[in-house]
Amino acid sequence: MHIGFLGLGNMGAPMARNLLKAGHQLTVFDLSVAAVASLVEAGATAANSPAALARADVELIITMLPAAAHVKAVYLGDDGLLANAHPGVLLIDSSTIDPQSAREVAAAARQHGNPMLDAPVSGGTGGAAAGTLTFMVGGESGDFDRAQPILAAMGKNIVLCGGAGNGQAAKVANNMLLGISMIGVAEAMSLGVALGVDPKVLAGIINTSSGRCWSSDTYNPFPGVMDNVPAARGYSGGFGSDLMLKDLGLASEAAKQIRQPVILGALAQQLYQTFSTQGHGNLDFSAIINLYRKDDQA
Amino acid sequence: MHIGFLGLGNMGAPMARNLLKAGHQLTVFDLSVAAVASLVEAGATAANSPAALARADVELIITMLPAAAHVKAVYLGDDGLLANAHPGVLLIDSSTIDPQSAREVAAAARQHGNPMLDAPVSGGTGGAAAGTLTFMVGGESGDFDRAQPILAAMGKNIVLCGGAGNGQAAKVANNMLLGISMIGVAEAMSLGVALGVDPKVLAGIINTSSGRCWSSDTYNPFPGVMDNVPAARGYSGGFGSDLMLKDLGLASEAAKQIRQPVILGALAQQLYQTFSTQGHGNLDFSAIINLYRKDDQA
Amino acid sequence: MHIGFLGLGNMGAPMARNLLKAGHQLTVFDLSVAAVASLVEAGATAANSPAALARADVELIITMLPAAAHVKAVYLGDDGLLANAHPGVLLIDSSTIDPQSAREVAAAARQHGNPMLDAPVSGGTGGAAAGTLTFMVGGESGDFDRAQPILAAMGKNIVLCGGAGNGQAAKVANNMLLGISMIGVAEAMSLGVALGVDPKVLAGIINTSSGRCWSSDTYNPFPGVMDNVPAARGYSGGFGSDLMLKDLGLASEAAKQIRQPVILGALAQQLYQTFSTQGHGNLDFSAIINLYRKDDQA
Amino acid sequence: MHIGFLGLGNMGAPMARNLLKAGHQLTVFDLSVAAVASLVEAGATAANSPAALARADVELIITMLPAAAHVKAVYLGDDGLLANAHPGVLLIDSSTIDPQSAREVAAAARQHGNPMLDAPVSGGTGGAAAGTLTFMVGGESGDFDRAQPILAAMGKNIVLCGGAGNGQAAKVANNMLLGISMIGVAEAMSLGVALGVDPKVLAGIINTSSGRCWSSDTYNPFPGVMDNVPAARGYSGGFGSDLMLKDLGLASEAAKQIRQPVILGALAQQLYQTFSTQGHGNLDFSAIINLYRKDDQA
């Protein structure tokens, strides 16, 4: 299939590569000349603008952008995708943005005769490279069926979450819970160890008890408990604290719009903001445990 | 073995019954005449006081009491266990109390020539009846080895967490994380559903993603997501909100003593206190989700 | 002076009346026909649209609108004020919105040749009627000097807070602190009284000690401590909880944009949201004390 | 009057000196030989133990101790004050402890025939030296009348707050509010300044608006706003963060005992604990504002 791909950053570039590997024809666009050149070397064709990409004979367009403002600009702008795409071309936005913005853009797309899916991912840059991302998809089930084989070239878990915006809704809900859980594990491990329990013993107990969670059994933030996690390598790599902060901001913003309390979620956002203000936003999000420890441990 | 058992409440009574079923000889005490009579009917012998129980020829004494004040009174009082137990008798306290109090009582026991273990449980009244409790044990490994076959008659997961008080430390750490996770799931499910995602679909996504946790995949608080959980029966049964409140109070108290921050833990305690003050402390702890919903939904 | 006034709600209408009383000529607009009719009866002239108002020979335009979306629509829309106002006409927006939006609109106004001030108020509907509002003004000092005599007809405390948007910045900072203080007083009064201190005695101590604040000495939320406050009349009247919720939302949104932690501010927002979700958003904001008391006291 | 004074630390020593200056005869005790020697030089008589102090012919005993454990030991111990004081001697404890402990000790005193008042102070070491402390007193009004002229030699504001323990209750309520307000001011000032408002202008607006409070108008934490406050001298001197942490701990403990939510109070405690864990507990409590600023500003 001839696919347009717009947004070749840390996530978008490896996703696009996996589409090439799967045999698809790709036309790509990014503001970074280097990013485009790298994909062209791998077999893609370059477009000069979003409008040019939309007017190429692509059957489907995927976007992967930093924030809602970029998504709105790329889709709704005068030189944007909607103003230039052929009717019927399926649009898939894999950016992580707030559900309401996703719904606004999807409604505008429908008015232009273009079906649209929101399909944010989880799994990080590792999952993007390995083609093992999870896609949380919002939109019509017929459009989902069309998209599934394409998405399957980039991920292994493709879930329809309901209508437009529901992919984003599911992702912000999951990631807000992730942020809360990680801080909860950071506090519980710090407390138990400070009370005298060996970190590995404590993690073993939690992981077979009611405190069990992904942040403890798969991504434990306490140094020395697990290998092959950011805590084992000084919190480098992984999912950055500032990215978690962004997702918690999306969650509390979405909650505010629908007047839904998210008390721990809002506090988690503030703790990640505090951690970022103290200069650690580039560390993996499990490094939040350092907020709970003495300076010389951090 | 001849075992003394003190404290025949909702947890203690079924635990004592399981010891009888396993063939042990039991001498029991409780302030409730009815509770004692019921165990006597099942084959136990009654003692008139903690002192009388300690002076009976028991080889091991197990206590299951509501709070640290009761534990201190029963062990340290003039008519208490330490003043009357034969030297060498192994003492096991399965009450949930703060680690520091557990360490004080264990040190006093050692001075009287009695080895002591703290062995709080998780698993609730269901686990107590079925003999499937988890025991988190603090103390010497030799004493742990002696206790293990006895505890195995009441539970299926018996874990040594280190020295005296570490059983309590592991339990408060785990249960603090549990309280945080449950509120986190309550917020995430409430948010995602209010944003339009079907509750079962949302739980399915979370349970296969990074938000996965026991509170979501085994004990989901959102009505209609799972059968056989308190949320499926109006939040009756289960682990009461006021019991969670007690455990969160133990956690923040233990944290205060060692000057360890537990920010989300303290907030979780306050939210359970608020829920209790609003009149719902008797509901299962997953009912905290009602704090996030309109009055007419609660 | 001939003044245009746009937005005749609970705040705008009495403000406009005070301008009439001060002898100014008024041209007014509102979507509510009744609101316009009432002002016309008092001596104002009606305009049919924002554009018509802007094209009348007004020397100065004041707007008083519910939220940033309305402000942007009224100023920036094709039929809006900027597209139709004569160059040099001074624009004053007294709406409470986020500082960034205020700065965007002010920059657009400047491009159209119109100086603009943001001038949000405090003092409520009572202060609007009595002409005793506080105006927190952002903009150029020359424009401030021009505006001051006009604003003085509606308020008694007119403060220049610095450049464009700074009036909004000062207001969100003050009102965030107000929300935190009110909850703090609610907790402190509830705690002290529950511990046995008489409410009036406790308030007297706080008001002469380091806990002293406006929420305690001028607007105490505990029933029976003061007369002539909402707590003395079932929390009716005053400054609604949902308005405080809106201001706390503006504060945390502004903080997010500049990456500034506001931990208690965000929690205060969530507590007001919880109170609103429980059905009490229409009560005065001091009613938040009911969140801390038993159902039958609420 | 012949007065016994026990506890000659940073607060107790200057208080005792003021009693000497007022012409009273003093018998003093402290574990620190140097502290005792300094008072003896000023005219006091030394006692060798609390028991000896109690058996000297004192008419009234004042204690000023660090925590409830010390108060209980000094009053209730075998060699303590109650076992040795003459009946009728009035006992005044000016330590800051939890209300429940104060009530326990007062009840024990009454059984020994000694009236007792709890009389914690505010005003810090400066107020202790200047004799301008505030005393918050719990106990019987007749005993309060007896004590007032003595307390007046050490303070200028002597308030009866009701029965035994109410002095402590009023103090924990006030100081919890103080901790919340200080963090609130820290957040509001940080936010407003980061949004572009001049710190002095912002403080001026807050101090004449609804955010007005002691922490803003008398003890502003933002550097450069006020002279003669800790913020003007690198947060040295003043009321230490760890002392505020202690008082917030007393407040949340008292609240837990009576099952009263204190949501912001508990979070304030955790933030001061975090600040202390990060190594800043010795700074004045207004230094909490550094938690909200970049590392290189702190």
Side-chain angles (χ1 to χ4, degrees):
Chain A
M1 196 186 287
H2 186 184
I3 299 171
F5 202 107
L6 200 153
L8 302 170
N10 292 335
M11 292 295 293
M15 290 167 69
R17 277 171 198 284
N18 280 326
L19 290 174
L20 285 173
K21 279 184 207 154
H24 297 291
Q25 180 187 351
L26 235 61
T27 297
V28 302
F29 174 78
D30 194 282
L31 291 175
S32 156
V33 174
V36 171
S38 175
L39 259 289
V40 167
E41 205 166 297
T45 304
N48 290 329
S49 67
L53 183 147
R55 282 194 304 265
D57 276 329
V58 296
E59 301 160 68
L60 182 150
I61 299 175
I62 300 173
T63 51
M64 189 63 173
L65 299 160
H70 309 86
V71 173
K72 288 184 180 177
V74 160
Y75 279 90
L76 309 180
D78 291 343
D79 293 329
L81 296 178
L82 297 189
N84 292 284
H86 300 295
V89 167
L90 178 59
L91 307 171
I92 303 177
D93 180 36
S94 281
S95 317
T96 293
I97 63 172
D98 66 287
Q100 184 160 313
S101 294
R103 285 166 185 162
E104 287 170 24
V105 176
R110 204 178 311 122
Q111 285 194 318
H112 280 78
N114 291 104
M116 183 164 183
L117 300 170
D118 50 294
V121 304
S122 71
T125 52
T132 59
L133 294 169
T134 292
F135 285 88
M136 290 164 260
V137 185
E140 301 298 320
S141 65
D143 301 326
F144 176 78
D145 293 343
R146 255 174 91 189
Q148 197 166 30
I150 308 299
L151 299 180
M154 301 180 285
K156 66 170 184 181
N157 194 14
I158 325 286
V159 193
L160 181 59
C161 307
N166 277 16
Q168 302 292 355
K171 181 165 183 194
V172 299
N174 179 77
N175 279 24
M176 184 182 78
L177 178 53
L178 172 60
I180 294 169
S181 295
M182 179 52 80
I183 300 179
V185 172
E187 294 189 2
M189 291 295 303
S190 298
L191 175 61
V193 172
L195 286 169
V197 187
D198 175 83
K200 283 194 176 182
V201 170
L202 181 59
I205 290 165
I206 287 173
N207 293 346
T208 55
S209 301
S210 50
R212 169 176 59 77
C213 58
W214 185 91
S215 294
S216 176
D217 67 21
T218 304
Y219 211 86
N220 200 288
F222 204 95
V225 169
M226 296 179 74
D227 297 331
N228 299 321
V229 291
R233 51 176 190 261
Y235 303 104
S236 62
F239 180 55
S241 291
D242 276 348
L243 290 173
M244 174 50 81
L245 175 57
K246 179 204 160 191
D247 284 0
L248 289 167
L250 288 174
S252 66
E253 174 62 23
K256 185 172 78 168
Q257 287 172 6
I258 59 170
R259 305 180 64 81
Q260 171 66 44
V262 285
I263 305 178
L264 292 197
L267 185 52
Q269 178 188 358
Q270 293 301 322
L271 296 178
Y272 273 103
Q273 181 60 68
T274 301
F275 191 58
S276 183
T277 296
Q278 293 186 348
H280 311 302
N282 60 324
L283 296 179
D284 178 72
F285 84 115
S286 62
I288 192 76
I289 196 171
N290 286 335
L291 199 64
Y292 294 88
R293 305 177 74 195
K294 287 200 184 58
D295 262 359
D296 55 356
Q297 299 175 301
Chain B
M1 194 186 289
H2 186 184
I3 298 171
F5 203 107
L6 200 153
L8 303 168
N10 291 335
M11 292 296 291
M15 290 166 69
R17 277 172 198 282
N18 280 327
L19 291 174
L20 285 173
K21 277 183 208 157
H24 296 292
Q25 182 187 349
L26 234 62
T27 296
V28 301
F29 174 77
D30 195 281
L31 291 175
S32 157
V33 175
V36 171
S38 174
L39 259 292
V40 167
E41 206 166 294
T45 304
N48 290 328
S49 69
L53 183 146
R55 284 194 303 265
D57 277 329
V58 297
E59 300 160 70
L60 182 151
I61 299 175
I62 299 173
T63 51
M64 190 62 175
L65 298 161
H70 308 87
V71 173
K72 288 183 180 177
V74 160
Y75 279 88
L76 308 180
D78 292 341
D79 295 329
L81 296 178
L82 296 189
N84 292 283
H86 300 295
V89 167
L90 178 59
L91 307 172
I92 303 176
D93 180 36
S94 282
S95 318
T96 293
I97 65 173
D98 65 287
Q100 183 160 315
S101 294
R103 284 165 186 163
E104 287 171 24
V105 176
R110 205 178 311 120
Q111 286 195 317
H112 279 79
N114 290 103
M116 183 162 182
L117 299 169
D118 52 292
V121 303
S122 71
T125 53
T132 58
L133 293 170
T134 292
F135 284 88
M136 290 163 261
V137 186
E140 302 296 322
S141 65
D143 301 327
F144 176 77
D145 292 343
R146 254 174 92 192
Q148 197 168 28
I150 307 299
L151 299 179
M154 301 179 287
K156 66 168 185 182
N157 194 14
I158 327 286
V159 191
L160 181 60
C161 307
N166 277 16
Q168 302 293 354
K171 182 166 181 190
V172 300
N174 180 75
N175 279 23
M176 185 182 79
L177 177 53
L178 172 59
I180 293 168
S181 295
M182 180 53 81
I183 301 179
V185 172
E187 294 189 2
M189 290 295 302
S190 298
L191 174 61
V193 172
L195 286 170
V197 187
D198 176 82
K200 284 194 176 184
V201 169
L202 181 59
I205 290 165
I206 288 173
N207 294 344
T208 55
S209 301
S210 50
R212 168 177 59 78
C213 59
W214 185 92
S215 294
S216 177
D217 67 21
T218 304
Y219 210 87
N220 200 289
F222 204 94
V225 168
M226 296 178 74
D227 297 332
N228 299 319
V229 290
R233 50 176 191 262
Y235 303 104
S236 62
F239 180 55
S241 291
D242 277 347
L243 290 172
M244 175 48 82
L245 176 57
K246 178 202 161 193
D247 285 1
L248 289 167
L250 289 174
S252 65
E253 173 62 24
K256 185 172 76 168
Q257 287 172 6
I258 58 170
R259 306 180 65 79
Q260 171 66 45
V262 285
I263 306 178
L264 291 197
L267 185 52
Q269 176 188 359
Q270 294 301 322
L271 296 178
Y272 273 103
Q273 181 60 69
T274 301
F275 191 56
S276 184
T277 296
Q278 293 187 347
H280 311 302
N282 60 324
L283 296 180
D284 178 72
F285 85 114
S286 63
I288 193 75
I289 197 172
N290 287 334
L291 199 64
Y292 294 87
R293 305 177 73 196
K294 287 203 184 59
D295 261 0
D296 56 356
Q297 298 174 300
Chain C
M1 196 186 287
H2 186 185
I3 298 170
F5 203 108
L6 199 153
L8 302 169
N10 292 332
M11 292 296 291
M15 289 167 69
R17 277 173 198 283
N18 279 326
L19 290 174
L20 286 173
K21 278 184 209 155
H24 296 291
Q25 181 187 349
L26 236 62
T27 297
V28 301
F29 174 78
D30 194 282
L31 291 175
S32 157
V33 174
V36 170
S38 175
L39 259 291
V40 166
E41 206 166 296
T45 304
N48 289 329
S49 68
L53 183 146
R55 284 193 304 265
D57 276 329
V58 295
E59 300 160 70
L60 182 152
I61 299 175
I62 300 173
T63 52
M64 189 63 173
L65 298 160
H70 308 87
V71 172
K72 288 184 181 177
V74 159
Y75 279 89
L76 310 178
D78 292 341
D79 295 329
L81 296 178
L82 296 188
N84 292 282
H86 299 294
V89 166
L90 177 59
L91 307 172
I92 303 177
D93 181 35
S94 281
S95 317
T96 294
I97 65 174
D98 65 287
Q100 184 159 315
S101 294
R103 285 165 185 162
E104 287 170 23
V105 176
R110 204 177 312 121
Q111 287 194 317
H112 279 79
N114 291 103
M116 183 164 182
L117 300 170
D118 51 295
V121 302
S122 71
T125 53
T132 58
L133 294 169
T134 292
F135 283 88
M136 289 164 262
V137 186
E140 301 298 321
S141 64
D143 300 327
F144 176 77
D145 292 343
R146 253 175 92 190
Q148 197 167 27
I150 308 299
L151 299 179
M154 301 180 286
K156 65 168 184 183
N157 195 14
I158 325 286
V159 192
L160 180 61
C161 307
N166 277 15
Q168 301 294 352
K171 180 166 184 190
V172 299
N174 179 76
N175 279 22
M176 185 183 79
L177 177 53
L178 172 60
I180 293 168
S181 295
M182 179 53 80
I183 300 178
V185 172
E187 293 189 3
M189 290 296 302
S190 298
L191 175 60
V193 172
L195 287 169
V197 188
D198 176 82
K200 284 194 177 183
V201 170
L202 181 58
I205 290 165
I206 288 173
N207 294 345
T208 54
S209 302
S210 50
R212 169 175 60 77
C213 59
W214 185 91
S215 293
S216 178
D217 66 21
T218 305
Y219 210 86
N220 201 288
F222 204 95
V225 168
M226 295 179 74
D227 297 331
N228 299 322
V229 291
R233 51 176 191 261
Y235 302 104
S236 62
F239 181 55
S241 291
D242 276 347
L243 291 173
M244 174 50 82
L245 175 57
K246 178 203 161 192
D247 284 0
L248 289 166
L250 289 175
S252 65
E253 174 63 25
K256 186 173 76 168
Q257 287 171 6
I258 58 170
R259 306 179 65 80
Q260 171 66 43
V262 285
I263 306 179
L264 291 197
L267 185 51
Q269 177 188 358
Q270 293 300 322
L271 295 178
Y272 273 103
Q273 181 61 69
T274 301
F275 191 58
S276 183
T277 296
Q278 292 186 348
H280 311 302
N282 60 325
L283 297 179
D284 178 73
F285 85 114
S286 62
I288 192 76
I289 197 171
N290 287 334
L291 199 65
Y292 293 87
R293 304 176 74 194
K294 288 202 184 58
D295 262 359
D296 55 357
Q297 299 174 299
Chain D
M1 196 187 287
H2 187 183
I3 298 170
F5 203 107
L6 201 152
L8 302 169
N10 292 334
M11 292 295 292
M15 290 166 69
R17 277 171 198 282
N18 279 326
L19 289 175
L20 285 172
K21 278 184 207 155
H24 296 292
Q25 182 187 349
L26 233 63
T27 297
V28 301
F29 174 77
D30 194 283
L31 291 175
S32 157
V33 175
V36 170
S38 175
L39 260 290
V40 167
E41 206 165 296
T45 304
N48 290 327
S49 69
L53 182 146
R55 282 194 305 266
D57 277 329
V58 297
E59 300 160 70
L60 183 151
I61 299 174
I62 299 173
T63 50
M64 191 62 175
L65 299 159
H70 309 86
V71 172
K72 287 183 180 176
V74 160
Y75 279 89
L76 308 180
D78 292 342
D79 294 328
L81 296 178
L82 296 189
N84 292 284
H86 300 296
V89 167
L90 178 58
L91 307 171
I92 302 176
D93 180 37
S94 281
S95 318
T96 293
I97 64 173
D98 65 287
Q100 184 160 310
S101 294
R103 284 165 185 161
E104 286 171 24
V105 176
R110 205 178 310 121
Q111 286 194 319
H112 279 79
N114 291 104
M116 182 163 183
L117 300 169
D118 51 292
V121 303
S122 71
T125 52
T132 57
L133 294 169
T134 292
F135 285 88
M136 290 164 259
V137 186
E140 301 297 321
S141 65
D143 301 327
F144 175 78
D145 292 343
R146 256 175 89 191
Q148 196 167 28
I150 308 299
L151 300 179
M154 301 179 286
K156 66 169 185 180
N157 193 14
I158 326 287
V159 192
L160 181 61
C161 307
N166 276 16
Q168 302 293 354
K171 181 164 182 192
V172 300
N174 180 75
N175 280 23
M176 184 182 80
L177 177 53
L178 172 60
I180 294 168
S181 295
M182 180 52 80
I183 300 178
V185 172
E187 294 189 1
M189 290 294 303
S190 298
L191 175 61
V193 172
L195 287 169
V197 187
D198 175 82
K200 285 195 176 183
V201 170
L202 181 59
I205 289 165
I206 287 174
N207 294 346
T208 53
S209 301
S210 51
R212 169 176 58 78
C213 59
W214 184 91
S215 294
S216 176
D217 65 23
T218 305
Y219 209 87
N220 200 289
F222 204 95
V225 169
M226 296 179 73
D227 297 331
N228 299 320
V229 292
R233 51 176 189 261
Y235 303 104
S236 62
F239 180 55
S241 291
D242 276 348
L243 290 174
M244 175 49 82
L245 176 57
K246 178 203 161 193
D247 285 0
L248 289 166
L250 289 174
S252 66
E253 173 63 24
K256 186 172 77 168
Q257 287 172 6
I258 58 170
R259 306 179 64 78
Q260 171 66 43
V262 285
I263 306 177
L264 291 198
L267 185 52
Q269 177 187 359
Q270 294 301 322
L271 295 178
Y272 272 104
Q273 181 61 67
T274 301
F275 192 57
S276 183
T277 296
Q278 293 186 349
H280 311 302
N282 60 325
L283 297 180
D284 178 72
F285 84 116
S286 62
I288 192 76
I289 197 171
N290 287 336
L291 199 63
Y292 294 88
R293 305 177 74 196
K294 286 202 186 58
D295 262 359
D296 55 356
Q297 300 175 298

